């Protein structure tokens, strides 16, 4: 009965906060957004650590013995790609909370320490609308490219170089007798065979795969978001 007699307050304007209430609200909200950002940052670091562990383990397995097939390194590329895909999804969530924290820093705290007239006076409205209807601020493709440029491009490069070394060094092949290099390109192409697939097909697929990664890293716009203001990023 008490709930039925309660007056409706939908649509009523919010009570104006005093300066002390506003400062307290902003401080608590800023602390909460930092905690959320740090939580998603920790998830990003975990995925990156998994990828590094995969690369190290696969390199050890593939290059430590000639009995290991070069396909182990190709499998490692696929695993790292999967982890990159997962990390890009996590980065989209992280970017939402990181952006809110940066809004506090740029438009609230920076104005306290170094006031500027009419500096982004609508930032509270933008923040409020983002709280009412949370939306991702970047696409999955942009997040994928950012994480690829930041960390994963180096892992793919290491795996690619290890794969080339595996193919070009007979001592690392099944029937290798010494640690020397192949005598011709034909021999290296023959070593690249994977099951029923001939070597040239496997090499072509690896080339297309790495070219697509390089194009994604270089051609995706990187002049917005985290690098729009200053050169310190996370």
């Amino acid at each position: 009965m008490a709930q039925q007699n309660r007056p409706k307050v939908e649509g009523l304007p919010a009570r104006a906060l005093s300066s002390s209430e506003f400062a307290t609200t902003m401080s608590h909200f800023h602390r909460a957004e930092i905690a959320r950002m740090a939580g998603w940052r920790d998830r990003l670091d975990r995925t990156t650590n998994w990828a590094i562990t995969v690369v190290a383990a696969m390199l050890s397995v593939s290059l430590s013995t000639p009995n290991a097939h070069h396909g182990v390194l190709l499998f490692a590329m696929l695993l790292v790609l999967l982890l990159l895909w997962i990390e890009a999804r996590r980065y989209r969530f992280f970017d939402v909370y990181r952006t809110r924290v940066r809004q506090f820093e740029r438009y609230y705290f920076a104005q306290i320490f170094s006031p500027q007239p009419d500096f982004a006076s609508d930032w509270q409205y933008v923040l409020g609308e983002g709280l009412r209807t949370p939306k991702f601020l970047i696409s999955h493709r942009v997040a994928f490219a950012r994480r690829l440029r930041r960390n994963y491009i180096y892992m793919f490069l290491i795996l690619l170089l290890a794969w080339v070394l595996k193919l070009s060094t007979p001592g690392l092949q099944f029937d290798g007798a010494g640690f020397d290099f192949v005598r011709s390109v034909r021999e290296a192409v023959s070593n690249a065979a994977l099951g029923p697939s001939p070597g040239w097909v496997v090499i072509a697929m690896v080339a297309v795969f790495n070219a697509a990664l390089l194009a994604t890293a270089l051609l995706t716009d990187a002049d917005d978001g985290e690098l729009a203001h200053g050169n310190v990023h996370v």
Side-chain angles (χ1 to χ4, degrees):
M1 293 298 295
Q3 293 181 354
Q4 294 179 357
N5 296 329
R6 183 178 298 172
K8 296 182 179 181
V9 295
E10 295 180 0
L12 294 179
R15 180 178 66 87
L17 299 178
S18 65
S19 58
S20 60
E21 290 175 330
F22 180 78
T24 301
T25 300
M26 295 296 284
S27 298
H28 286 296
F29 188 40
H30 178 250
R31 188 181 302 113
E33 292 302 304
I34 285 183
R36 294 170 109 180
M37 182 189 73
W40 282 101
R41 178 69 214 189
D42 181 64
R43 294 188 180 187
L44 291 178
D45 291 338
R46 290 183 192 177
T47 315
T48 303
N49 291 338
W50 294 343
I52 294 175
T53 302
V54 167
V55 171
M58 294 303 184
L59 287 177
S60 178
V61 170
S62 178
L63 301 181
S64 62
T65 172
N67 294 325
H69 197 274
H70 71 89
V72 172
L73 295 172
L74 301 181
F75 180 66
M77 293 181 187
L78 295 179
L79 284 180
V80 173
L81 179 65
L82 174 61
L83 291 172
L84 173 57
W85 187 267
I86 295 174
E87 184 164 323
R89 177 183 176 275
R90 292 181 174 183
Y91 184 83
R92 297 182 73 192
F93 285 94
F94 166 78
D95 182 70
V96 172
Y97 304 116
R98 183 198 62 83
T99 300
R100 289 180 186 173
V101 171
R102 286 294 297 129
Q103 286 177 325
F104 282 116
E105 293 175 347
R106 295 189 68 243
Y107 304 126
Y108 182 67
F109 293 108
Q111 282 294 89
I112 295 176
F113 298 120
S114 178
Q116 296 182 10
D118 299 328
F119 183 71
S121 57
D122 63 339
W123 75 275
Q124 294 181 51
Y125 170 79
V126 175
L127 179 60
E129 290 303 309
L131 293 174
R132 286 191 177 93
T133 55
K135 298 178 181 179
F136 290 121
L137 304 179
I138 59 175
S139 66
H140 191 278
R141 180 174 180 269
V142 172
F144 185 94
R146 285 186 183 178
R147 301 313 295 168
L148 178 61
R149 284 193 298 264
R150 196 64 45 77
N151 294 323
Y152 283 79
I153 192 68
Y154 306 106
M155 301 185 205
F156 284 114
L157 179 60
I158 291 173
L159 289 173
L160 179 61
L161 293 177
W163 184 68
V164 172
L165 178 63
K166 184 75 174 179
L167 297 182
S168 61
T169 309
L172 297 177
Q173 299 296 323
F174 287 104
D175 55 350
F179 195 85
D180 55 356
F181 293 99
V182 294
R183 298 178 178 82
S184 65
V185 176
R186 182 185 298 273
E187 185 178 351
V189 172
S190 177
N191 291 337
L194 185 63
S197 301
W200 67 270
V201 173
V202 176
I203 292 177
M205 293 177 62
V206 173
V208 170
F209 174 78
N210 285 276
L213 290 176
L214 186 61
T216 300
L218 298 180
L219 300 181
T220 302
D221 187 15
D223 295 330
D224 57 352
E226 59 189 0
L227 300 180
H229 307 282
N231 56 8
V232 178
H233 50 72
V234 288

